Amino acid sequence: MAGQNRIRNAQLRSKIMTADQAAALIPKGCNVGMSGFTGAGYPKAVPMALADRMNAASAAGHKFKISVWTGASTAPELDGALAKVDGMELRLPYQSDPTCRKRINAGEMEYLDIHLSHVGQFVWGGFLGKLDVAIIEVVGIREDGSLIPSSSVGNNKTWLDCADKIIIEVNHWQNEALEGMHDVYYGTQLPPKRKPIPIISVSDRIGETSLRCDPAKVIAIVETNAPDRNSPFSPPDDTSRGIAENIVEFFGHEVKKGRLPKELLPIQSGVGNVANAVMEQLQSAPYDNLMAYTEVLQDGMFNLLRSGKMSFASATALSLSPNAAEEFNRDVRLYHDRMVFRPQEISNHPEVIRRLGLIAMNGLIEADIYGNVNSTHIRGTSIMNGIGGSGDFARNAWLSIFMTPSSAKNGAVSCIVPMATHVDHTEHDVQVIVTEQGLADLRGLSPKKRARVIIDNCAHPIFKPALSEYLERAMKYSHGQHTPHILDEAFTFLPEWQADRAAQEAWKEDSVVQNDAWK
């Protein structure tokens, strides 16, 4: 690696060192802001060197922990490495690492799960304490010392502005052609000095193409050459395709009603196989000149851009499979005029989301019959990943859609339940729920009407009778109250079905015949 090719500032070239040397500059007990968002643009060498240092300290009988702040989830070289050596005192704002999750739920790590749009203002407001160190991956450093972001922007602007010290990883694997694709806005302020965010359309550019960086705060530069670690997505299965078909059919209905334009409204989509299935379905749908204003651009949206069905996409990060990441990295210049990467405080900004009128599509763990959605917890107590940006979009979008298979655990658990064990998105922010069974449009419906539509359209047939029976008994038990519930039973739904595996297997063997009959 030739440092002078990517590091064009002579003063900063003198600070090049190894990852071990850079890790040695990080004190225990400090707050560290790291780049990275959904497995893209995260530091890859310094966190692993820091984990080795922590492991050595632990072997010598000394605990060495730090608090880690990021944009969102990262990858095994960061979250995984630090979690395995029990090196994180606190983690925020979103994670998806299995070891990290295990430590959080075992009470060995504190976790702050907050809306992604809130992180920047939390830091600027001092609610999280002082940010000691920032570790940021970049494509290169310009002559003036400003930084060329890599495959994510996330909270990097905030980290660089607020941190006392900065460590930079210059990743030679990331294509230099990324330069110019970023739009870093420096106009956000704290109350009472806030001004409108001047984004009127998805493709508007309102900021700078690089990140400002005070060279005096830079204590180390480490050169790397490693790809982002994104996992491959599974091909859409029948369930994912069913959900996607229901959503695209609904779009057609909304266009006919005049509630959506013929090119739809800008799309926001969460990450996962179901989201990719929806994007795949849009490839053959009669909609052109699609646009996206979202957090992450994953394979499905990337394919829409490549095919020309989508004309422009705004995001804060990539979240591509290894094959798609290689292809994008090779052909970056082809997308220069059709993509922009923004800080997450802008990609997730409620004002912009409301103004653009987005179609927001996000996943869930469970939804109850009244439309309350749990995106984060298992049985109300164990965290899965976190709320991420789903709340930023659901509350402010023109159309708020939540999608899920109707059942989980091979049919043992219903994803539609009487009462959600944890609520991230209340019934007031959930307009549409979709499963492979059908779609429930909840707009304009009172609670009891919502319950009937969700049960009839979205519940799996094996669970539908019990859900209907619960609703009827709850209405009698509560004497017609606004939101009928039997609180003694609401969280003990269908124990006989969950225990009776033989009945479930018998149902699955005859599923084709029964599904045809239910249709």
Side-chain angles (χ1 to χ4, degrees):
M1 292 181 289
Q4 57 268 35
N5 293 336
R6 292 287 183 107
I7 305 168
R8 307 199 296 256
N9 180 284
Q11 176 188 354
L12 291 178
R13 279 203 297 271
S14 66
K15 298 184 181 182
I16 296 174
M17 62 183 69
T18 67
D20 288 337
Q21 290 171 324
L25 301 176
I26 301 171
K28 67 178 180 179
C30 68
N31 295 323
V32 181
M34 301 209 192
S35 64
F37 196 108
T38 57
Y42 58 92
K44 299 166 176 64
V46 176
M48 292 184 70
L50 184 59
D52 289 341
R53 184 179 166 207
M54 290 170 169
N55 196 39
S58 180
H62 307 294
K63 272 293 178 186
F64 186 159
K65 290 190 176 187
I66 60 171
S67 293
V68 174
W69 311 349
T70 65
S73 56
T74 61
E77 300 100 318
L78 200 164
D79 273 330
L82 296 177
K84 284 177 182 176
V85 299
D86 194 17
M88 287 188 279
E89 184 72 37
L90 169 71
R91 179 69 172 82
L92 67 92
Y94 181 91
Q95 58 76 41
S96 61
D97 182 79
T99 307
C100 199
R101 183 185 306 122
K102 183 177 179 181
R103 289 203 180 276
I104 292 167
N105 288 322
E108 299 167 355
M109 183 194 308
E110 296 297 318
Y111 180 50
L112 182 57
D113 179 28
I114 57 177
H115 296 298
L116 297 188
S117 67
H118 286 180
V119 180
Q121 64 182 15
F122 268 42
V123 175
W124 281 105
F127 307 136
L128 304 176
K130 182 168 65 75
L131 182 59
D132 300 294
V133 180
I135 308 176
I136 310 295
E137 180 187 88
V138 301
V139 169
I141 303 175
R142 290 175 169 170
E143 290 82 358
D144 62 0
S146 64
L147 310 178
I148 305 165
S150 64
S151 51
S152 71
V153 181
N155 282 316
N156 294 352
K157 168 187 164 291
T158 298
W159 300 162
L160 291 166
D161 286 349
C162 295
D164 290 339
K165 299 176 181 178
I166 297 169
I167 296 173
I168 301 170
E169 285 197 8
V170 179
N171 189 348
H172 290 249
W173 183 88
Q174 301 273 10
N175 196 321
E176 289 181 281
L178 280 166
E179 185 170 3
M181 292 187 73
H182 306 86
D183 186 55
V184 185
Y185 181 60
Y186 280 89
T188 54
Q189 294 179 298
L190 294 178
K193 297 181 179 180
R194 281 182 171 159
K195 298 177 180 179
I197 306 297
I199 294 178
I200 306 300
S201 65
V202 170
S203 58
D204 284 347
R205 285 181 169 273
I206 60 172
E208 303 171 16
T209 57
S210 61
L211 292 158
R212 299 175 189 173
C213 178
D214 180 357
K217 297 202 294 185
V218 178
I219 59 173
I221 295 175
V222 177
E223 295 186 90
T224 66
N225 194 332
D228 287 333
R229 287 282 188 89
N230 286 307
S231 302
F233 294 102
S234 302
D237 57 15
D238 290 342
T239 299
S240 298
R241 276 192 291 267
I243 295 169
E245 289 169 1
N246 289 334
I247 290 175
V248 173
E249 181 182 356
F250 176 67
F251 289 163
H253 173 269
E254 292 296 284
V255 171
K256 288 179 182 178
K257 287 283 188 180
R259 292 191 284 247
L260 289 177
K262 61 180 177 19
E263 68 276 9
L264 305 183
L265 288 168
I267 293 169
Q268 177 268 330
S269 178
V271 178
N273 293 322
V274 174
N276 269 325
V278 176
M279 298 303 114
E280 182 178 284
Q281 194 72 23
L282 285 171
Q283 285 281 6
S284 57
Y287 309 114
D288 296 313
N289 296 316
L290 296 169
M291 303 189 88
Y293 192 90
T294 189
E295 296 171 320
V296 292
L297 192 147
Q298 61 175 12
D299 284 31
M301 280 189 183
F302 176 63
N303 293 337
L304 287 169
L305 278 169
R306 183 173 52 188
S307 70
K309 288 283 284 187
M310 181 171 283
S311 59
F312 199 90
S314 169
T316 192
L318 298 174
S319 183
L320 300 175
S321 66
N323 289 341
E326 285 280 358
E327 182 178 343
F328 174 80
N329 200 42
R330 182 182 66 242
D331 301 328
V332 168
R333 294 187 189 280
L334 298 178
Y335 303 95
H336 245 260
D337 297 327
R338 292 189 285 160
M339 287 178 57
V340 66
F341 295 98
R342 309 182 193 273
Q344 72 188 63
E345 63 181 323
I346 302 300
S347 69
N348 291 47
H349 202 289
E351 176 198 346
V352 179
I353 294 167
R354 178 64 65 90
R355 180 183 302 120
L356 295 178
L358 303 190
I359 299 171
M361 296 181 284
N362 290 285
L364 57 81
I365 291 174
E366 63 181 4
D368 69 28
I369 58 176
Y370 297 109
N372 299 290
V373 165
N374 171 17
S375 296
T376 59
H377 283 70
I378 305 298
R379 296 176 183 171
T381 57
S382 297
I383 192 74
M384 189 64 183
N385 296 332
I387 194 169
S390 57
D392 298 326
F393 290 96
R395 178 68 182 88
N396 300 287
W398 170 257
L399 190 56
S400 173
I401 300 172
F402 282 90
M403 48 198 183
T404 179
S406 61
S407 64
K409 300 295 183 183
N410 296 319
V413 177
S414 176
C415 294
I416 306 298
V417 297
M419 192 173 192
T421 57
H422 177 92
V423 175
D424 295 289
H425 313 284
T426 72
E427 60 191 83
H428 312 292
D429 298 335
V430 180
Q431 297 173 353
V432 177
I433 293 176
V434 191
T435 72
E436 80 284 3
Q437 303 298 326
L439 180 145
D441 184 353
L442 308 179
R443 294 171 296 181
L445 300 184
S446 62
K448 283 171 276 203
K449 289 183 178 179
R450 283 199 301 268
R452 290 191 174 97
V453 169
I454 291 172
I455 293 170
D456 290 346
N457 292 4
C458 297
H460 197 289
I462 200 170
F463 297 113
K464 191 177 294 185
L467 285 165
S468 296
E469 183 204 14
Y470 173 86
L471 176 61
E472 294 304 319
R473 289 193 299 110
M475 290 175 66
K476 293 178 182 177
Y477 179 83
S478 65
H479 305 292
Q481 289 177 349
H482 181 63
T483 305
H485 267 306
I486 307 172
L487 294 180
D488 291 344
E489 298 183 19
F491 296 136
T492 58
F493 176 56
L494 298 179
E496 67 278 13
W497 279 112
Q498 295 183 32
D500 192 352
R501 301 297 301 176
Q504 292 172 40
E505 293 303 321
W507 170 82
K508 281 189 282 186
E509 288 177 5
D510 199 30
S511 60
V512 175
V513 175
Q514 294 193 50
N515 277 332
D516 287 342
W518 283 316
K519 287 178 184 175

